[in-house]
Amino acid sequence: MSASPTIVLIHGAFADSASWAPVTRLLLDEGYTVRVPAVPNRSLLGDAEYIRSVVEHIDGPVILAGHSYGGAVITVAGVAENVVGLVYVSGYALEEGESLGQLQGGFPDSDLAQHLVYTPFPVDGAEDGTDVSVEISAFPDVFAAGVSRETTEVLAVSQRPLTALAFGEAAPVAAWKTKPAWGIVSSADHTINPDVERFGYQRAGLRSVIELDAPHLVMQSHPAEVAKVITDAIAELG
């Protein structure tokens, strides 16, 4: 590539752009151009369409890194023409025609399943929607074990919920079929069964996969390692 790609970091469910802050800081310090958009977390198709629009307004090549549900988002949004690579971080690498629920349903539940909270919210001209979040008291251990308690307590009360709708929507495309991709498995993940991550990555034929003894929120607990996977991918593309 004639230019280093812009790195676009996509957060997942129960988190927001701030979840990427330690990695963002490292990448900026290394001189990379970084964008960390807020994902609406309203529907897989709508979120992917929004992120694709963000990507397509960036001049030059883009590498997408998606955490957790953000992995499903980049699987769809990553077909944008200027996306040159994908990095899955403790994420869902969906197959074309597959939903989050279908992928997860093939494996034993993680600890998250018993600590979810379902809250209705109004939708104009339709039945109420349902927001899904994590019990505040369980958040530090289930979502971010290994991250300082002070940090996880703040993250727990500033969650960005995911609508129940997003779990059932099928991915219309799978960008990893045409774009090179890399992956990180969090082997101490209590939010997504690590075997879900491993299976998705293996099926997608990712160029390389590393395993970290890390919680689901690996960007907070192991930011240097996560940043290195992204920059190594850029070097390989270059």
Side-chain angles (χ1 to χ4, degrees), residues 139-165:
F139 188 98
D141 293 328
V142 171
F143 199 76
V147 179
S148 74
R149 200 78 179 183
E150 291 80 5
T151 297
T152 57
E153 286 175 352
V154 172
L155 295 173
V157 298
S158 55
Q159 295 179 52
R160 193 177 188 95
L162 180 66
T163 61
L165 172 67

Side-chain angles (χ1 to χ4, degrees), residues 36-210:
V36 197
V39 183
N41 282 7
R42 299 294 83 187
S43 73
L44 174 59
L45 301 183
D47 294 341
E49 183 179 8
Y50 172 71
I51 292 303
R52 179 170 179 170
S53 73
V54 170
V55 166
E56 290 178 335
H57 281 88
I58 295 174
D59 290 331
V62 167
I63 186 164
L64 281 171
H67 173 247
S68 188
Y69 167 68
V73 173
I74 69 171
T75 295
V76 181
V79 296
E81 187 175 346
N82 60 329
V83 172
V84 295
L86 311 168
V87 178
Y88 290 90
V89 180
S90 311
Y92 294 100
L94 297 180
E95 172 61 279
E96 184 175 329
E98 183 178 54
S99 69
L100 292 173
Q102 288 172 322
L103 177 55
Q104 286 196 141
F107 299 86
D109 286 340
S110 69
D111 293 341
L112 174 69
Q114 59 186 320
H115 295 291
L116 292 175
V117 177
Y118 300 90
T119 308
F121 66 90
V123 179
D124 290 341
E127 296 182 4
D128 283 354
T130 302
D131 264 341
V132 184
S133 59
V134 184
E135 288 177 357
I136 291 174
S137 60
F139 188 98
D141 293 328
V142 171
F143 199 76
V147 179
S148 74
R149 200 78 179 183
E150 291 80 5
T151 297
T152 57
E153 286 175 352
V154 172
L155 295 173
V157 298
S158 55
Q159 295 179 52
R160 193 177 188 95
L162 180 66
T163 61
L165 172 67
F167 289 94
E169 288 186 321
V173 294
W176 49 259
K177 291 179 181 290
T178 56
K179 307 292 175 79
W182 295 258
I184 297 172
V185 173
S186 290
S187 61
D189 200 328
H190 293 284
T191 298
I192 299 176
N193 183 332
D195 284 338
V196 173
E197 300 165 23
R198 295 182 184 108
F199 172 80
Y201 298 170
Q202 182 177 16
R203 180 178 59 183
L206 302 196
R207 287 196 176 190
S208 68
V209 174
I210 70 165

